[in-house]
Every structure is written in structure tokens, then in C-alpha cells.
Amino acid sequence: MQYKRILLKLSGEALMGEKQYGIDPKRLDEYAEEIKKVVDKGIQVAIVIGGGNIFRGLAGAATGMDRVQGDHMGMLATVINGLALQSALEMQQVQTRLQSAIKINEVAEPFIRRRAMRHLEKGRVVIFGGGTGNPYFTTDSAAVLRAIEIEADVILKGTRVDGIYTSDPEKDKSATKFDTISFQDVLRKGLKVMDTTAFTLSQENELPIVVFDMNTKGNLLKIVDGETIGTTVNI
């Protein structure tokens, strides 16, 4: 295995599947199956999931809502998604723990770094909900922060696109894909991988990022097996 401990970043929108809103149970089950394959290989897996399929703070702010209130609603949405993913994983007989950056003790443990690392060492999947616990920070930032804290080997960013391209491949048919690219080149070319805060934090801590298509079955396992899937951002 190429990695011992990974942090998987999933967008909330990915959970919508073919739906326009909310959670698609079929897509949720597919993700749980893919994650189980990796866990069965002995890989330690932590997950950060967004909440855009339910509520996005920036969207609320655009309609006049207080940004802080909107971001807190978004944090709660990530906890809802975390609970859904936890349930799907446990249906696959995968042991999990949900930790939240905001206190919701009835449904999730508080985030405690040492406890999270102990869960991972015992083979449990740890899902981090509630973002960073602070407004104005995205779940990309939460993913990088948690990955650094738990000493993950890599961030695997599951998207609907199979890597990083010279331009948006859904709009530009001539766009070409990078197999590997440096942090400096991403910034120089103005490519969108994560928000600037998250990306800079990853760069400063020399934490590689792999952007790949999570919706293609087997991709996640292939990456941890060492195959070149998606695009790797490295120092």
C-alpha cells in the first residue's frame, strides 16, 4: 500500500447523486462500499464531508442572510451528512466514529486529536463533521487542518472530474489533464484545486493532494494501491 493513513475529502454535492437536493441513498451506499474496500486493506481512513447538498453559507449570504449564521447552518449540514455516511458504513460492517468541531454530544463525539488518532489505529473510520468549527472557513480548510493534525500521508479529494486540467474539461474540450503538478505550478497557472487558505496550508505543511473521480468504482482502492489515478499535487 502506498499510504498508511489517508484523509478522504468528499463534497456534499457528491451525495446528491442523480437528485437535485439532499442525499441519494444509492450514491451513499456506493461510497460506503468503496471506503470499505480500502479499510479491508488495513488503510486508516479519516473523512471530511461538505454540506453543500443541504445548505451552503455563501449561498445564504448572497441572499442577505448573516454570513456567520449561514456558515453555522452549513456546519450543521456537514454533521447531517456525516451521520448519513456513518450509517451507510456501519451497514457495511465498518466501525466508525463521528467527531464534530461543534458540540453535539448526543450524536457525535467532540473533536479530540488524540482520540481520533486512537480510533484510526484501531481500524475505525473517523468522520469529521462541523468543518473547523469557525465561520468563514470551508470544509476544504477543515480537511487540510484535520489531515495535518492526525498526521495523514495524503489528502484524497474525491470529485466528479478525474483530475486537474488546464481548464474546465466540461466547458473546454481541448483541456488537457495533469498526472502530477507542483503546488507552485497550480498557483502560477491559476488552477482551482481548493480554496486559497486550504491550498496554502497544505503547501506549507508539504501535504500532497490527489484529485480524482470518486464516482468511478475502484478508483479509491487503486490510489492506495499505488496506481496513478487522477492528479497528484506535490512539492
Side-chain angles (χ1 to χ4, degrees):
M1 297 291 104
Q2 184 169 0
Y3 306 110
K4 178 183 177 184
R5 179 179 293 167
I6 65 171
L7 187 136
L8 175 63
K9 170 61 170 67
L10 297 173
S11 69
E13 288 93 335
L15 294 187
M16 292 191 297
E18 301 302 320
K19 300 176 70 174
Q20 298 298 312
Y21 175 83
I23 299 170
D24 181 353
K26 181 174 178 289
R27 177 58 53 82
L28 198 63
D29 289 342
E30 289 171 352
Y31 282 179
E33 289 172 8
E34 295 299 299
I35 294 164
K36 177 180 168 56
K37 292 175 187 175
V38 173
V39 173
D40 288 346
K41 289 285 188 178
I43 306 299
Q44 298 176 16
V45 180
I47 301 171
V48 169
I49 190 163
N53 57 319
I54 298 172
F55 190 85
R56 186 181 292 278
L58 275 172
T63 61
M65 178 181 288
D66 177 75
R67 173 66 189 273
V68 175
Q69 290 288 88
D71 280 354
H72 281 131
M73 292 171 68
M75 290 177 212
L76 293 172
T78 69
V79 175
I80 292 171
N81 284 339
L83 285 165
L85 184 58
Q86 181 181 40
S87 177
L89 285 167
E90 290 180 345
M91 291 289 287
Q92 298 283 340
Q93 309 304 312
V94 176
Q95 290 191 9
T96 68
R97 292 292 185 273
L98 174 62
Q99 293 196 344
S100 174
I102 50 178
K103 291 183 181 179
I104 316 178
N105 294 338
E106 287 75 16
V107 296
E109 296 179 359
F111 169 68
I112 299 172
R113 174 178 176 266
R114 289 182 181 273
R115 183 181 291 178
M117 294 178 75
R118 184 64 176 147
H119 288 322
L120 291 167
E121 288 164 0
K122 288 186 175 181
R124 298 165 183 154
V125 172
V126 180
I127 304 167
F128 297 117
T132 66
N134 303 287
Y136 297 99
F137 288 90
T138 66
T139 49
D140 277 348
S141 292
V144 176
L145 178 61
R146 294 291 180 252
I148 294 166
E149 288 178 306
I150 65 171
E151 301 173 8
D153 300 317
V154 66
I155 294 176
L156 304 182
K157 182 169 181 177
T159 68
R160 64 183 183 183
V161 181
D162 64 344
I164 301 171
Y165 284 75
T166 52
S167 58
D168 187 344
E170 295 181 349
K171 298 177 181 177
D172 182 3
K173 298 302 180 185
S174 66
T176 57
K177 176 174 163 284
F178 298 98
D179 289 331
T180 61
I181 190 170
S182 69
F183 282 95
Q184 291 84 354
D185 282 345
V186 168
L187 294 171
R188 183 169 57 83
K189 295 175 185 293
L191 304 174
K192 186 68 176 173
V193 177
M194 289 180 166
D195 70 81
T196 306
T197 302
F199 192 76
T200 303
L201 187 61
S202 188
Q203 180 183 21
E204 288 176 348
N205 288 274
E206 300 183 3
L207 181 65
I209 303 166
V210 179
V211 179
F212 72 105
D213 180 5
M214 182 67 186
N215 296 335
T216 299
K217 287 189 176 183
N219 268 358
L220 184 60
L221 183 59
K222 288 176 182 177
I223 291 172
V224 299
D225 265 338
E227 292 189 37
T228 302
I229 300 291
T231 302
T232 301
V233 185
N234 246 321
I235 296 295

